[in-house]
Amino acid sequence: MAYNENLADQIRELLLPFGDTIIEKKMFGGVCFLYKGKMTVGIIKEDLAVRVISSKIDQELEKHNVRPMDFTKKVMKEFIYVELEHPKNLKYWVELGIEHAKMKLKEL
């Protein structure tokens, strides 16, 4: 399954400051970016997949370009799909995914 390579390049650039704490991995038929082993954001076809902390998930789902991630035909906990209309919003979504990973690491 193909994914948006241009979007992947933009994400790679935003994640450069994190150095080797970021790993890129093929997942869900697309590509995902992991922070210290925890999934943050990914691309599946033209959609951005983002992990979101539980306390923010409802407010994010209220946005017009966001829907629950249902990759397996079942809604996945703490995952959303984002249809990106404006690349300037990409940094926000990447930071949201990083926030999720950092919170999960603190819980360990």
Side-chain angles (χ1 to χ4, degrees):
M1 193 176 297
Y3 59 88
N4 184 324
E5 283 286 346
N6 182 45
L7 184 56
D9 287 341
Q10 291 175 55
I11 292 171
R12 288 179 191 109
E13 188 171 321
L14 288 169
L15 293 173
L16 277 176
F18 294 96
D20 62 359
T21 62
I22 298 292
I23 295 173
E24 187 173 325
K25 188 173 184 179
K26 302 284 183 185
M27 293 174 68
F28 304 113
V31 64
C32 292
F33 299 88
L34 291 77
Y35 172 80
K36 295 185 179 182
K38 300 293 182 188
M39 195 259 186
T40 60
V41 297
I43 307 163
I44 302 168
K45 296 183 184 178
E46 293 295 318
D47 287 329
L48 185 66
V50 183
R51 297 250 12 220
V52 181
I53 61 175
S54 296
S55 63
K56 292 185 177 181
I57 198 87
D58 289 338
Q59 96 184 35
E60 296 305 330
L61 285 170
E62 290 178 8
K63 296 178 180 173
H64 79 280
N65 59 335
V66 177
R67 67 186 190 281
M69 184 174 172
D70 58 352
F71 182 78
T72 62
K73 305 294 182 219
K74 182 178 175 186
V75 173
M76 297 175 70
K77 183 180 175 184
E78 298 184 338
F79 277 93
I80 58 173
Y81 278 137
V82 180
E83 296 174 34
L84 290 175
E85 295 175 4
H86 306 289
K88 67 180 179 180
N89 295 339
L90 184 58
K91 184 177 182 191
Y92 171 81
W93 299 111
V94 169
E95 289 173 350
L96 204 59
I98 293 288
E99 176 186 42
H100 182 278
K102 286 180 176 180
M103 178 172 272
K104 291 299 177 185
L105 288 166
K106 282 183 184 178
E107 293 174 0
L108 297 178

